[in-house]
Amino acid sequence: MGQVIKVGMADLKVGRAPDTLTTLGLGSCIGLTLYDPSTKVGGLVHYMLPDSTKLKNNTNIAKFGDTGIRELLKQMIAAGANQRRLVAKIAGGACMFETNGLSSMGHVGDRNAEAARDILKELKIPLLAEDTGLNYGRTVVLNCENGDFLIKSVGKDIKVI
């Protein structure tokens, strides 16, 4: 049994089989995994906002999709993963607050999911599966043994993508 590596909000970690990586309470945030099936190196970033260029003094690179995904990729390669073999999965990006359609804050979940898709495309990493949107939080677990991404939500069956 490997260790359970906890990834906080605006945080990222890398593990390898038999470890699992987990993050709690993804609302509008995105949990994005990168996985190399050959070396069984896995990584998880829990980012809150899509784009670091919109804010000044953004020292936490894991807080943003654009910088967090690239930093996760860098750490994965340092841990022995090969970028050409990497595959990605995402979860989260929920709309957690009712909005009247005027507030851009209400759509941060959609923008976060879109940022993940755009950045993965740019990095040429295939997005194999996603469980995003809707209006509920998710807790996720990446199994570094096989790349399974478990998604748990209150009152819903556990989903594996």
Side-chain angles (χ1 to χ4, degrees), residues 11-129:
D11 189 13
L12 60 89
K13 300 268 173 50
V14 172
R16 65 175 58 240
D19 297 338
T20 55
L21 292 142
T22 183
T23 193
L24 307 172
L26 290 169
S28 60
C29 296
I30 289 283
L32 178 141
T33 67
L34 295 177
Y35 182 70
D36 180 337
S38 180
T39 58
K40 299 192 176 190
V41 171
L44 174 62
V45 58
H46 176 155
Y47 67 85
M48 301 164 66
L49 295 165
D51 184 359
S52 65
T53 61
K54 302 278 191 280
L55 293 175
K56 294 188 176 28
N57 305 331
N58 49 348
T59 51
N60 182 352
I61 51 180
K63 187 174 183 176
F64 304 94
D66 60 343
T67 49
I69 296 169
R70 287 182 180 85
E71 178 61 22
L72 182 64
L73 174 62
K74 197 166 87 185
Q75 290 189 22
M76 293 276 299
I77 291 167
N82 181 319
Q83 184 169 349
R84 286 191 301 276
R85 286 193 302 254
L86 291 179
V87 292
K89 296 180 181 177
I90 61 172
C95 182
M96 299 302 286
F97 309 100
E98 287 301 314
T99 58
N100 57 10
L102 299 172
S103 158
S104 66
M105 270 318 285
H107 302 292
V108 71
D110 290 341
R111 293 203 320 274
N112 275 339
E114 196 54 47
R117 292 183 204 107
D118 291 347
I119 294 160
L120 289 169
K121 193 172 290 168
E122 182 188 317
L123 297 172
K124 297 183 173 44
I125 297 172
L127 178 60
L128 295 190

